[in-house]
Amino acid sequence: MNTLFAIALVFVGCCSNVVFLELLVRDFPGCGNIVTFAQFAFIALEGFIFETHFGRKKPHIPLSNYVIMVTMFFTVSVINNYALNFNIAMPLYSASKYLSIMLVSLGIFICTIMSAKQVSVEKGATEEDGFYAFMHWILGIAMLTFALLMSARMGIFQETLYKKYGKHSKEALFYNHFLPLPGFLLLSTDIYRHAVLFSQSLEIPVIGQSVPVMWLYLLMNVITQYVCIRGVFILTTECASLTVTLVVTLRKFLSLIISILYFHNPFTAWHWVGTAVVFLGTLLYTEVWSSIRAAMKGEKADKKAE
């Protein structure tokens, strides 16, 4: 039951989060730092109040282990959001399990690269500009790939800690967001600059008050991110790291599809190919084919018995 609940949180939270993230980056493509800071600050504050009871509750897992986990988590979060500056469309047991992950990743790659090509065409870039834009995009893809690998490694590390110290997903969620906060001092200039830009954005009425629309988008992004990351941390206590990686990767694919549909971006034949490959990889991972074959063998055995 906890597993299904966690998966629901991941898909609902993360897929709605991507809509508000794209609304933010469409006007301010370099706003990744302020988005990351707002997410970390909100989740850290919530955990400080409700998980640690204002610092009175001691952690079950030693802080030295959290420092290692936090280093990986902070790196993944910053790189994921900073990669938005590189024209990325908004959008890891047995051998069959690894093959399924490769298929899902291939499907996402196909969809992403086709969306990136459309961005270049729409901007009317020259051949030379297109080359530099493509190399810029490749750098962004490399950053996301590194973040995905780092995220998978962090999942394995979390799995090891939970086996040794027990499952404490809310505690891990708090320390992973609280400990890195001083690191944002290095990004303070950029965060302040975007805070000023957000305050100068179009104002809309909210409960009788005029609120800059970008701050409203940021608030909704932070809330949906909390729902998403809460689901991910619950999932790490219930499933193997490879399963968690698959769920997160599928979520990213679904977010890409929602982005394409919601913002009326073109959905080409290559996007359908990528979708089919992701679907095939998912079926392979969940061993649907094995279940179908087992059911068919059972039916044949029943007929012979009759």
Side-chain angles (χ1 to χ4, degrees), residues 86 130-140:
F86 294 84
F131 172 77
Y132 286 111
F134 179 74
M135 295 305 297
H136 199 62
W137 177 81
I138 285 293
L139 180 57

Side-chain angles (χ1 to χ4, degrees), residues 33-34 37 181-196:
N33 290 331
I34 190 173
F37 172 70
L181 287 178
F184 286 102
L185 290 173
L186 301 173
L187 310 171
S188 58
T189 302
D190 182 72
I191 292 172
Y192 176 76
R193 182 171 65 87
H194 279 90
V196 172

